[in-house]
Amino acid sequence: RQQYDEGYTSSLTEFCSIESANQQSQTGADKNSACDGKPAYQEGYASGLKIYCSYEVAFQKGQQNTEYNTKNCSAPQRMYLQSAYAKGQNLVKVKANIAQLETEIADLEQKVYSTAVPADAKNYYKNILASKKTELKAAERSLYDIERRSRM
């Protein structure tokens, strides 16, 4: 029994270290109740939570489309962090839309400048091409706005 108690105490000391707590909180994990009352653990957890509950991490998690749970962040931060997360997700969507539009534009330009395409079809493709270029400009403005706001 004494060896068990010593092993448990030793592993708990390691688990409740400042480094371990810091790493735990940076993943959004809940506090471990076994470590309550241990000042080093509390300090490490708070330190890691400051990193986890930051705009940068929320934005990055949104870009990666990975889970980002704000339940351990302060109530006033949650809305701000959820907004950052959504902006990160939106950035990925806008970039994908731009890539799609660029592909469509390249295909249309190929048709417009092809000698095998009849003149009336070229006019049809030119109209679509103009519309796609307008969409692309709007998407690029949106991308610029998202990136600019994400640096604030």
Side-chain angles (χ1 to χ4, degrees):
R1 172 83 178 148
Q2 181 182 357
Q3 287 177 331
Y4 171 82
D5 289 344
E6 287 174 10
Y8 177 79
T9 302
S10 173
S11 63
L12 194 59
T13 300
E14 185 178 319
F15 182 75
C16 295
S17 70
I18 194 167
E19 295 84 11
S20 175
N22 190 291
Q23 289 173 354
Q24 271 186 308
S25 61
Q26 284 188 46
T27 65
D30 291 332
K31 284 184 182 179
N32 189 315
S33 60
C35 299
D36 282 349
K38 302 208 182 301
Y41 181 84
Q42 301 300 330
E43 181 184 332
Y45 191 86
S47 173
L49 213 51
K50 284 180 187 174
I51 294 168
Y52 182 77
C53 296
S54 68
Y55 183 95
E56 294 78 17
V57 170
F59 187 80
Q60 181 183 36
K61 294 282 188 181
Q63 285 181 291
Q64 297 166 345
N65 202 29
T66 56
E67 184 179 344
Y68 184 67
N69 190 337
T70 61
K71 69 180 180 177
N72 293 322
C73 303
S74 69
Q77 287 179 304
R78 288 185 192 137
M79 189 177 291
Y80 172 73
L81 296 172
Q82 289 166 352
S83 172
Y85 183 83
K87 286 178 186 175
Q89 287 183 315
N90 193 32
L91 179 69
V92 172
K93 290 176 187 173
V94 169
K95 284 182 175 181
N97 185 37
I98 288 172
Q100 177 65 34
L101 287 167
E102 289 174 340
T103 300
E104 291 175 16
I105 288 169
D107 291 344
L108 288 165
E109 285 176 338
Q110 200 172 33
K111 290 175 183 175
V112 167
Y113 297 114
S114 171
T115 55
V117 176
D120 58 334
K122 283 185 181 189
N123 286 333
Y124 171 76
Y125 292 132
K126 283 180 185 177
N127 289 334
I128 295 173
L129 180 61
S131 173
K132 293 292 179 181
K133 285 183 175 181
T134 301
E135 282 182 55
L136 178 61
K137 284 180 184 176
E140 288 172 337
R141 277 192 303 276
S142 179
L143 176 64
Y144 172 78
D145 289 343
I146 293 168
E147 289 179 333
R148 184 176 52 87
R149 281 190 239 127
S150 72
R151 290 187 211 111
M152 295 178 149

